[in-house]
Amino acid sequence: MLTRKKRRTDVIQGRFSCPHCESEQPCTRFVQLGGNQHEGDFVVCATCGGRQRGEDYRYNAATGIFDPVLWDCPYCKALNPNNTYWCRSCHKSLV
Ligand SMILES: [Zn+2]
Ligand SMILES: [Zn+2]
């Protein structure tokens, strides 16, 4: 017997630059709403099935592409993906 609670899920199809495939791939973003945790927010690569954290990508509705969220290094101003904690350019750590 199914006792699962229904939760709203937003699914967006798009493309993103997959870190595993190292190229642009079709992907699907799942955002589960109504839960207490962020477990439902992720971007899945349609080619390799790799999961990325949804918060690391921002959907651009105009292009249909999930742009990676970037931070700029306070030391050298280089742009880095949100899932790295040290600058890829000058190797200084943020934490
Ligand atoms: Zn992939
Ligand atoms: Zn830097």
Side-chain angles (χ1 to χ4, degrees):
M1 181 180 159
L2 283 176
T3 52
R4 245 181 343 171
K5 257 192 191 172
K6 258 193 187 170
R7 287 199 280 184
R8 270 185 59 204
T9 307
D10 276 4
V11 179
I12 306 171
Q13 311 268 6
R15 300 179 69 80
F16 83 136
S17 172
C18 176
H20 297 291
C21 302
E22 295 182 336
S23 56
E24 193 178 286
Q25 300 294 335
C27 69
T28 308
R29 180 177 188 174
F30 297 91
V31 181
Q32 242 172 33
L33 306 171
N36 296 325
Q37 294 166 342
H38 258 275
E39 32 126 359
D41 186 355
F42 46 84
V43 177
V44 184
C45 175
T47 303
C48 71
R51 278 186 186 191
Q52 305 300 318
R53 291 190 309 169
E55 66 208 60
D56 291 341
Y57 294 88
R58 192 176 295 134
Y59 184 62
N60 184 336
T63 58
I65 288 175
F66 292 88
D67 295 317
V69 175
L70 301 172
W71 54 272
D72 55 329
C73 175
Y75 304 103
C76 71
K77 305 294 178 200
L79 287 173
N80 293 281
N82 203 30
N83 52 11
T84 58
Y85 298 101
W86 60 94
C87 177
R88 291 194 301 188
S89 179
C90 68
H91 301 289
K92 284 196 167 95
S93 172
L94 277 199
V95 212

